[in-house]
Each structure stands twice: as structure tokens, then as C-alpha cells.
Amino acid sequence: MAVSKTTLKSLFGVYGVIHRQPLLLPSTLRYSVILSTRSIHERDYRRPGQPPDTRWPWQKIQFDFSKGVEGVKKHIGLLKDEFVQRWTGPEGRPLIVHMLEQTRVQWEFRGPESLNQWVVSSDQEIGGRSEAYIKLGKNNTSCLLYGTLCSTPPRDGETRYSGYCTLRSKQSLASFDRKKHFDWSSFNTLHMRIRGDGRPWMVNVSTETFFSHQKDDIYSYFLYTRGGPYWQDVKIPFSKFFLSSRGRIQDSQHVVWLDKVKSIGFTLGDKADGPFQLEIDFIGLCNDLAHSEEFAYELYKRNPEI
Amino acid sequence: MNPYVLAILLSSLGLGTTLTFASSHWLLAWMGLEINTLAIAPLMAQHHHPRAVEATTKYFLTQATAAAMILFASTTNAWMTGEWSISNLSNPLASTMFVAALALKIGLAPVHFWMPEVLQGLDLLTGLILSTWQKLAPFALIIQTAHNVDPLLLTLLGVTSTLVGGWGGLNQTQLRKILAYSSIAHMGWMIIVIQYSPQLTLLALGMYIIMTSATFLTLKMSLTTKINTLATTWSKNPVLASTTALVLLSLGGLPPLTGFMPKWMILQELTKQNLPIIATTMALAALISLYFYLRLCYAMTLTVSPNTTNSTTPWRTQTTQTSLPLALFITATLGLLPMTPAILMLTT
């Protein structure tokens, strides 16, 4: 590059890393094509009120050889499993098991490694004061999501509302970090065993959204918990889930397709400050043969042409 | 869908294929292919469902890439040889690139990856159009240019497609994906013989269209898209369940059903051309496909699944769907083998 190292260093030295620097490409000076760190960094999430992270990508590298070797071993092991399980049948189980399957427990919390499949977050990411944590419950038989909600909005000049927390399952990955989806098409009901504290939660199911370019599309339904010492069996048919995008319920609704489910999540945002607790024993699916509803909401076209 | 829009789209589909059939200039042929792609895109996305949008996006990207490659191949050939005529694709670079583009268009292995995902996101009727009508125009082009193409490439494409179609369909539980892999395998059979006897390719294509139409229309009649719901069709329509088992065996290529005809003729032609190893490989690869067709028959007719419907006699209620096309295709799928000599006369 014609732009010398000393020029670069002086630029960075004078203005510092925090400010964004336009970097002119030498061969196209006439057309003044600007390559700046802004276009690279503002693809990631920027917490409101914070300056953007303007490091170049090569400054963010953290290289570790042993971790690389472990990663290769893990991925090749997963790939070998994928090839070998094809001999047995779809998803590694014989077809007769798939045909006879009426219920399935998808997530159950029986050991510390089960918590690794979940991500808990709250409005601390945007500067709020809620707290949310997960830990295993008594005897390692359940997952306890607990914390405190605080609906004071953070003082960054941008955010107006706050006070939420969410627990979401991570997308399962096949070998070499390829996305893996759940095929729940044999089932029509979500069955959970939970013990809450009376707060109203939302259950969110999200499907594959990469190709539809609607990455905020989520299918939600309410989960009213009854406080108290008794466990609650919640069965929500998938026909009841409605479509929302970034929290706003969409006008044109459709039923959730269950053949490419990405993750499930629970959200609490009921504007009530104070502690909360949700204990989950298992999350499973079942095929309720008595439930014949296809979709609970109207599918008519709004604003039809006359 | 608005009936005027539907009429325009369906007539554009017809126009595109007819244009490609009637053309002898590369640009007109390419135009026909593009019209087909553009006309089917709204039909695929009409339900505005994310999976339908996903299928449309994937289909459009692959088909547009293939069309661009076809255009590039034809302009390269025109630049090198000055010929725009379809049958004079003599430049080796152009003909190889054209075959790669056609492989992408019709879903031959190793560029078949879009096919199962796209078919899975569509409803059954649009999937039927995609599997049958959209194959006609590319085949019209490849039949005219096959003599200029490297024979090894065509053979490799054919054998790989039959093998991949067989292996890929083995562990699927969604019927549309199974039909996609079945389509890949059948395309392999058609491509393998194109350099020796294009008439057999046409025969195989015609028989494949009849059998696939019968299968798709059956699934539409019984409203099933996965193996578990297929297992309950015996109570809804017992006659359809029994004929569907035979249709699936016909897809697998078993005599005395129609599906045996193209496979028999193709194996005979390959043997006559002194290619016994390829013929054996193709026959063995067809066995893999037969396994998953048999598995569908097993799920549907040979076992009584516990996932029964609530009512015991749903077959007493009549369906409101038109059954004449289904009946015609099923009859053709089951009974055309004795007419092999007459059909061969038609295609030669």
C-alpha cells in the first residue's frame, strides 16, 4: 500500500483509536473511496450511549493453538457421528422410533452441562439495572432462573423503557459450526413443567430466519405462572403461537412451521419491579391427537383491495 | 391469488418453456429460461410464509446463477466461433460451462443442494410444477447440445446424481424432501444415456413426469407431507393408499409397472455401448432409492400406525378435490409397460 506505515501510525497517534478514521485507498484516490472502520464495526451490536469499538479486525484476534486442536477434534468427532448415525435412521434413531414417537423431552436440566445450552440476558446489555441468573435447582433436577427486575430506563439519552430479562436456548450446532434445527413436525403441543411466582411470562419459539431476512421474527404465547409450591404442567398447542417481530405483533399472521425450529425462550417484562423466579423441570413436546385446530387467529387479509 | 395474476403467471410459465422449445438462438432460449424462473417465483412465494420466502430465495438465486452461466457460455461460444445456434456449441469451455449451468438448473449432483430445501418450503402443487414443468426447458437445451459435451462429464454427473439421490433420501421423514431426492436420482438416469440415445432421455423424462405427478397429486389428495401423516391415509382413502404403494414401486423401477420401462431401456442401451460397469452401478444405485420408496410403502400400507385419526371411517366422507388428473396419472403410472414398443416408436 502506498499509504506508508508512518502515516498510519501518525494518524492513529494523533486522533487515537476511539475516533473513526477514514482510510483512503491509494489506487482510487481520484474516486475517493473511503474505507473506514465504521462500516466494519457497526454491524455488531452497539450498546446505546457507548462509543463504537473501532478496532480493526486483525486487532481483535486471540490466537491459541491448543484450543484450535481441541476444536478440530471436536468438529471431526461431530462429523463422524453425523455420518455414522445415518446408518440407524433419521436423526440417529430407527424409523420405527420416529413413527411411534408421541412425546419427546427436548430440554431437561439434570446436570451442570445442561445450563450451557442456555443464554440468559437482561436489560443490563443496554445499561439497565435488572439482574438475571440461572443455576441448577435442588438435587440438580431443575433450572432456576432468578433475579430482580428494575424498570428504570438507563440514562443514555436513547432508551425509553427498560426492565426485562430473557432466557433463550442456544442454537444447536452441527460439525464445523453449521446450524442445526429441530424437526418438531410430528408434534403439535409444547409441554413444560414449571414452577413460577405468579408473574406472566412469554414463551417464544423462533425458527430459521436466515433466508427470509426476518431475523427478529418470533412466535410467542403467554405463560401465566401460578406461584406456590406445586409444579405446573403447561401445555401450549403450537397453533396458538402468534407472530411478532421485535416485540410488535404482526398484522399478517401464519402458523409456525415446526420443521426448522431454532430455539425457544422465555421473556419477562411485566413492568413490575422486584425479584422474580422461574423454575423449569423440563421442556418437551407432545402430539395431542385431540387437538385439531390448525391456527387460532384469523388469516384474512387486512386492507383488501376493493 | 388474484385470478388475473394467476393467469398471467401460469401463461408466462407456459410461454417460457415454449419459447425455449421453439428457439434455435441462444439468447431466445436463455430468455425462455428466465421467463420461467421469474414466473414461478411469485407462485412459490404466494403464501408469504418465511419458509416459502426461503424456498423462493434459494430457487431464484440458483436459477439466476445458472442462467447467467448459460448466457456466459453462449456468448463465449459466439465470441470464439461466431455461432449463436444452439446445436453448434462447439467451444469446449462453453459446452462444459453450459453443462454445469444445466446441472444447476435441473438439480443434478453435485449441485443439487438447493432441491430438497426448496421443495420442502413449497406447497404440493407448486412443488409439482417445479419438479416437472421446470425440467422440460433445460432438457430441451441439453438434448440439443449433448453431442458436443465431454462424455466423461455427463457420465459422472449421471452416476453421482443417482448415488446422491439414493443416499440423500434415505433418512428423510418429510415427503417433499424424499421426492426431491427422487427427482435428483431420476435426473441422473436421464443424463447418463443422453449421449448415446437422446430418445431414451425423453422417454425417461416423460415417464418421470407421469410418476411424479401421480405421487404429488396423491399427497395433495390426502393432504400429507410427512411419513407420520402418510401412515394414516389408509383410513381416509384405502384405494388411494393401495395404488400409492404401487406408484411408489413404479418410481423405484420395478416391473411390471411403468417405471421399469425407462430403466430397462437405459440399462440395455448402456450394455450395448459396452459400459457394463456403469450399468451395474446405476442399477445398484437404483436399489438405494428403492429402499426409501419401500419404506414409504411400509409406513403407509404394510403397517397400521398408532397415530390413527380420531374417526374410524373417514373414508365415508367425500373429498372436494378434483380427482380426474390423479386417476389418469395413476393409471398411466401402473399400466404403461406393455405399451413399450408403441411408446418407443413415439420417441424415436
PDB file of all heavy atoms in Angstrom, chain B residues 139-159:
ATOM      1  N   PHE B 139     -33.995 -29.530 -20.345  1.00  0.00           N
ATOM      2  CA  PHE B 139     -33.714 -30.756 -21.086  1.00  0.00           C
ATOM      3  C   PHE B 139     -33.763 -30.545 -22.585  1.00  0.00           C
ATOM      4  O   PHE B 139     -33.000 -31.169 -23.332  1.00  0.00           O
ATOM      5  CB  PHE B 139     -34.686 -31.876 -20.665  1.00  0.00           C
ATOM      6  CG  PHE B 139     -34.109 -32.751 -19.610  1.00  0.00           C
ATOM      7  CD1 PHE B 139     -34.492 -32.623 -18.301  1.00  0.00           C
ATOM      8  CD2 PHE B 139     -33.139 -33.684 -19.935  1.00  0.00           C
ATOM      9  CE1 PHE B 139     -33.927 -33.407 -17.324  1.00  0.00           C
ATOM     10  CE2 PHE B 139     -32.576 -34.474 -18.968  1.00  0.00           C
ATOM     11  CZ  PHE B 139     -32.962 -34.338 -17.648  1.00  0.00           C
ATOM     12  N   ALA B 140     -34.653 -29.657 -23.034  1.00  0.00           N
ATOM     13  CA  ALA B 140     -34.684 -29.357 -24.467  1.00  0.00           C
ATOM     14  C   ALA B 140     -33.334 -28.843 -24.931  1.00  0.00           C
ATOM     15  O   ALA B 140     -32.841 -29.186 -26.010  1.00  0.00           O
ATOM     16  CB  ALA B 140     -35.770 -28.327 -24.753  1.00  0.00           C
ATOM     17  N   LEU B 141     -32.709 -28.016 -24.076  1.00  0.00           N
ATOM     18  CA  LEU B 141     -31.415 -27.461 -24.462  1.00  0.00           C
ATOM     19  C   LEU B 141     -30.313 -28.501 -24.393  1.00  0.00           C
ATOM     20  O   LEU B 141     -29.445 -28.573 -25.277  1.00  0.00           O
ATOM     21  CB  LEU B 141     -31.075 -26.272 -23.549  1.00  0.00           C
ATOM     22  CG  LEU B 141     -31.959 -25.060 -23.727  1.00  0.00           C
ATOM     23  CD1 LEU B 141     -31.585 -23.999 -22.720  1.00  0.00           C
ATOM     24  CD2 LEU B 141     -31.836 -24.514 -25.128  1.00  0.00           C
ATOM     25  N   ILE B 142     -30.352 -29.314 -23.346  1.00  0.00           N
ATOM     26  CA  ILE B 142     -29.219 -30.213 -23.189  1.00  0.00           C
ATOM     27  C   ILE B 142     -29.265 -31.328 -24.224  1.00  0.00           C
ATOM     28  O   ILE B 142     -28.219 -31.828 -24.653  1.00  0.00           O
ATOM     29  CB  ILE B 142     -29.129 -30.749 -21.746  1.00  0.00           C
ATOM     30  CG1 ILE B 142     -27.722 -31.243 -21.490  1.00  0.00           C
ATOM     31  CG2 ILE B 142     -30.125 -31.828 -21.464  1.00  0.00           C
ATOM     32  CD1 ILE B 142     -27.407 -31.537 -20.085  1.00  0.00           C
ATOM     33  N   ILE B 143     -30.466 -31.694 -24.669  1.00  0.00           N
ATOM     34  CA  ILE B 143     -30.540 -32.725 -25.700  1.00  0.00           C
ATOM     35  C   ILE B 143     -29.920 -32.221 -26.989  1.00  0.00           C
ATOM     36  O   ILE B 143     -29.259 -32.972 -27.719  1.00  0.00           O
ATOM     37  CB  ILE B 143     -32.001 -33.171 -25.891  1.00  0.00           C
ATOM     38  CG1 ILE B 143     -32.380 -34.098 -24.734  1.00  0.00           C
ATOM     39  CG2 ILE B 143     -32.209 -33.856 -27.213  1.00  0.00           C
ATOM     40  CD1 ILE B 143     -33.790 -34.547 -24.768  1.00  0.00           C
ATOM     41  N   GLN B 144     -30.099 -30.927 -27.253  1.00  0.00           N
ATOM     42  CA  GLN B 144     -29.534 -30.397 -28.493  1.00  0.00           C
ATOM     43  C   GLN B 144     -28.027 -30.230 -28.426  1.00  0.00           C
ATOM     44  O   GLN B 144     -27.365 -30.149 -29.462  1.00  0.00           O
ATOM     45  CB  GLN B 144     -30.154 -29.035 -28.799  1.00  0.00           C
ATOM     46  CG  GLN B 144     -31.637 -29.112 -29.113  1.00  0.00           C
ATOM     47  CD  GLN B 144     -32.197 -27.738 -29.332  1.00  0.00           C
ATOM     48  OE1 GLN B 144     -31.785 -27.038 -30.250  1.00  0.00           O
ATOM     49  NE2 GLN B 144     -33.122 -27.329 -28.495  1.00  0.00           N
ATOM     50  N   THR B 145     -27.469 -30.131 -27.240  1.00  0.00           N
ATOM     51  CA  THR B 145     -26.039 -29.839 -27.162  1.00  0.00           C
ATOM     52  C   THR B 145     -25.225 -31.000 -26.621  1.00  0.00           C
ATOM     53  O   THR B 145     -24.011 -30.894 -26.499  1.00  0.00           O
ATOM     54  CB  THR B 145     -25.784 -28.642 -26.230  1.00  0.00           C
ATOM     55  OG1 THR B 145     -26.362 -28.939 -24.968  1.00  0.00           O
ATOM     56  CG2 THR B 145     -26.371 -27.384 -26.778  1.00  0.00           C
ATOM     57  N   ALA B 146     -25.866 -32.120 -26.278  1.00  0.00           N
ATOM     58  CA  ALA B 146     -25.145 -33.192 -25.586  1.00  0.00           C
ATOM     59  C   ALA B 146     -24.033 -33.790 -26.416  1.00  0.00           C
ATOM     60  O   ALA B 146     -23.040 -34.276 -25.873  1.00  0.00           O
ATOM     61  CB  ALA B 146     -26.125 -34.281 -25.166  1.00  0.00           C
ATOM     62  N   HIS B 147     -24.163 -33.758 -27.738  1.00  0.00           N
ATOM     63  CA  HIS B 147     -23.130 -34.395 -28.548  1.00  0.00           C
ATOM     64  C   HIS B 147     -21.828 -33.615 -28.532  1.00  0.00           C
ATOM     65  O   HIS B 147     -20.777 -34.123 -28.918  1.00  0.00           O
ATOM     66  CB  HIS B 147     -23.627 -34.560 -29.992  1.00  0.00           C
ATOM     67  CG  HIS B 147     -24.064 -33.272 -30.615  1.00  0.00           C
ATOM     68  ND1 HIS B 147     -25.336 -32.769 -30.443  1.00  0.00           N
ATOM     69  CD2 HIS B 147     -23.408 -32.382 -31.380  1.00  0.00           C
ATOM     70  CE1 HIS B 147     -25.448 -31.625 -31.097  1.00  0.00           C
ATOM     71  NE2 HIS B 147     -24.290 -31.359 -31.668  1.00  0.00           N
ATOM     72  N   ASN B 148     -21.880 -32.331 -28.103  1.00  0.00           N
ATOM     73  CA  ASN B 148     -20.660 -31.525 -28.076  1.00  0.00           C
ATOM     74  C   ASN B 148     -19.945 -31.594 -26.742  1.00  0.00           C
ATOM     75  O   ASN B 148     -18.880 -31.003 -26.590  1.00  0.00           O
ATOM     76  CB  ASN B 148     -21.015 -30.051 -28.328  1.00  0.00           C
ATOM     77  CG  ASN B 148     -21.368 -29.813 -29.767  1.00  0.00           C
ATOM     78  OD1 ASN B 148     -20.771 -30.418 -30.652  1.00  0.00           O
ATOM     79  ND2 ASN B 148     -22.332 -28.941 -29.999  1.00  0.00           N
ATOM     80  N   VAL B 149     -20.557 -32.250 -25.768  1.00  0.00           N
ATOM     81  CA  VAL B 149     -20.050 -32.170 -24.403  1.00  0.00           C
ATOM     82  C   VAL B 149     -19.156 -33.360 -24.121  1.00  0.00           C
ATOM     83  O   VAL B 149     -19.367 -34.446 -24.658  1.00  0.00           O
ATOM     84  CB  VAL B 149     -21.232 -32.130 -23.421  1.00  0.00           C
ATOM     85  CG1 VAL B 149     -20.753 -32.082 -22.003  1.00  0.00           C
ATOM     86  CG2 VAL B 149     -22.116 -30.944 -23.717  1.00  0.00           C
ATOM     87  N   ASP B 150     -18.178 -33.137 -23.265  1.00  0.00           N
ATOM     88  CA  ASP B 150     -17.292 -34.198 -22.811  1.00  0.00           C
ATOM     89  C   ASP B 150     -18.102 -35.360 -22.237  1.00  0.00           C
ATOM     90  O   ASP B 150     -18.850 -35.185 -21.281  1.00  0.00           O
ATOM     91  CB  ASP B 150     -16.385 -33.599 -21.733  1.00  0.00           C
ATOM     92  CG  ASP B 150     -15.344 -34.572 -21.257  1.00  0.00           C
ATOM     93  OD1 ASP B 150     -15.144 -35.597 -21.928  1.00  0.00           O
ATOM     94  OD2 ASP B 150     -14.726 -34.290 -20.215  1.00  0.00           O
ATOM     95  N   PRO B 151     -17.984 -36.572 -22.782  1.00  0.00           N
ATOM     96  CA  PRO B 151     -18.816 -37.696 -22.316  1.00  0.00           C
ATOM     97  C   PRO B 151     -18.555 -38.060 -20.864  1.00  0.00           C
ATOM     98  O   PRO B 151     -19.470 -38.471 -20.144  1.00  0.00           O
ATOM     99  CB  PRO B 151     -18.436 -38.852 -23.233  1.00  0.00           C
ATOM    100  CG  PRO B 151     -17.561 -38.301 -24.272  1.00  0.00           C
ATOM    101  CD  PRO B 151     -17.153 -36.936 -23.935  1.00  0.00           C
ATOM    102  N   LEU B 152     -17.300 -37.893 -20.439  1.00  0.00           N
ATOM    103  CA  LEU B 152     -16.984 -38.253 -19.057  1.00  0.00           C
ATOM    104  C   LEU B 152     -17.764 -37.387 -18.084  1.00  0.00           C
ATOM    105  O   LEU B 152     -18.252 -37.865 -17.052  1.00  0.00           O
ATOM    106  CB  LEU B 152     -15.475 -38.083 -18.821  1.00  0.00           C
ATOM    107  CG  LEU B 152     -14.982 -38.400 -17.425  1.00  0.00           C
ATOM    108  CD1 LEU B 152     -15.229 -39.858 -17.097  1.00  0.00           C
ATOM    109  CD2 LEU B 152     -13.500 -38.083 -17.299  1.00  0.00           C
ATOM    110  N   LEU B 153     -17.910 -36.105 -18.417  1.00  0.00           N
ATOM    111  CA  LEU B 153     -18.635 -35.195 -17.522  1.00  0.00           C
ATOM    112  C   LEU B 153     -20.078 -35.640 -17.358  1.00  0.00           C
ATOM    113  O   LEU B 153     -20.619 -35.702 -16.251  1.00  0.00           O
ATOM    114  CB  LEU B 153     -18.562 -33.775 -18.090  1.00  0.00           C
ATOM    115  CG  LEU B 153     -19.293 -32.682 -17.321  1.00  0.00           C
ATOM    116  CD1 LEU B 153     -18.704 -32.517 -15.951  1.00  0.00           C
ATOM    117  CD2 LEU B 153     -19.204 -31.361 -18.070  1.00  0.00           C
ATOM    118  N   LEU B 154     -20.713 -35.973 -18.481  1.00  0.00           N
ATOM    119  CA  LEU B 154     -22.110 -36.395 -18.406  1.00  0.00           C
ATOM    120  C   LEU B 154     -22.253 -37.685 -17.604  1.00  0.00           C
ATOM    121  O   LEU B 154     -23.179 -37.841 -16.795  1.00  0.00           O
ATOM    122  CB  LEU B 154     -22.680 -36.584 -19.814  1.00  0.00           C
ATOM    123  CG  LEU B 154     -22.881 -35.306 -20.628  1.00  0.00           C
ATOM    124  CD1 LEU B 154     -23.299 -35.650 -22.043  1.00  0.00           C
ATOM    125  CD2 LEU B 154     -23.901 -34.405 -19.987  1.00  0.00           C
ATOM    126  N   THR B 155     -21.335 -38.604 -17.833  1.00  0.00           N
ATOM    127  CA  THR B 155     -21.405 -39.875 -17.103  1.00  0.00           C
ATOM    128  C   THR B 155     -21.231 -39.638 -15.608  1.00  0.00           C
ATOM    129  O   THR B 155     -21.967 -40.198 -14.782  1.00  0.00           O
ATOM    130  CB  THR B 155     -20.312 -40.827 -17.604  1.00  0.00           C
ATOM    131  OG1 THR B 155     -20.312 -40.820 -19.009  1.00  0.00           O
ATOM    132  CG2 THR B 155     -20.514 -42.215 -17.078  1.00  0.00           C
ATOM    133  N   LEU B 156     -20.245 -38.800 -15.268  1.00  0.00           N
ATOM    134  CA  LEU B 156     -20.007 -38.506 -13.853  1.00  0.00           C
ATOM    135  C   LEU B 156     -21.229 -37.863 -13.218  1.00  0.00           C
ATOM    136  O   LEU B 156     -21.640 -38.232 -12.110  1.00  0.00           O
ATOM    137  CB  LEU B 156     -18.813 -37.572 -13.710  1.00  0.00           C
ATOM    138  CG  LEU B 156     -17.451 -38.240 -13.583  1.00  0.00           C
ATOM    139  CD1 LEU B 156     -16.383 -37.177 -13.513  1.00  0.00           C
ATOM    140  CD2 LEU B 156     -17.398 -39.106 -12.334  1.00  0.00           C
ATOM    141  N   LEU B 157     -21.813 -36.896 -13.925  1.00  0.00           N
ATOM    142  CA  LEU B 157     -23.000 -36.236 -13.384  1.00  0.00           C
ATOM    143  C   LEU B 157     -24.105 -37.254 -13.153  1.00  0.00           C
ATOM    144  O   LEU B 157     -24.778 -37.252 -12.112  1.00  0.00           O
ATOM    145  CB  LEU B 157     -23.497 -35.154 -14.353  1.00  0.00           C
ATOM    146  CG  LEU B 157     -22.737 -33.832 -14.371  1.00  0.00           C
ATOM    147  CD1 LEU B 157     -23.243 -32.958 -15.494  1.00  0.00           C
ATOM    148  CD2 LEU B 157     -22.905 -33.104 -13.067  1.00  0.00           C
ATOM    149  N   GLY B 158     -24.288 -38.135 -14.128  1.00  0.00           N
ATOM    150  CA  GLY B 158     -25.370 -39.111 -14.004  1.00  0.00           C
ATOM    151  C   GLY B 158     -25.175 -40.064 -12.852  1.00  0.00           C
ATOM    152  O   GLY B 158     -26.085 -40.282 -12.032  1.00  0.00           O
ATOM    153  N   VAL B 159     -23.980 -40.632 -12.770  1.00  0.00           N
ATOM    154  CA  VAL B 159     -23.745 -41.624 -11.711  1.00  0.00           C
ATOM    155  C   VAL B 159     -23.810 -40.962 -10.341  1.00  0.00           C
ATOM    156  O   VAL B 159     -24.424 -41.496  -9.401  1.00  0.00           O
ATOM    157  CB  VAL B 159     -22.393 -42.325 -11.942  1.00  0.00           C
ATOM    158  CG1 VAL B 159     -22.055 -43.209 -10.782  1.00  0.00           C
ATOM    159  CG2 VAL B 159     -22.428 -43.135 -13.211  1.00  0.00           C
TER     160      VAL B 159
END
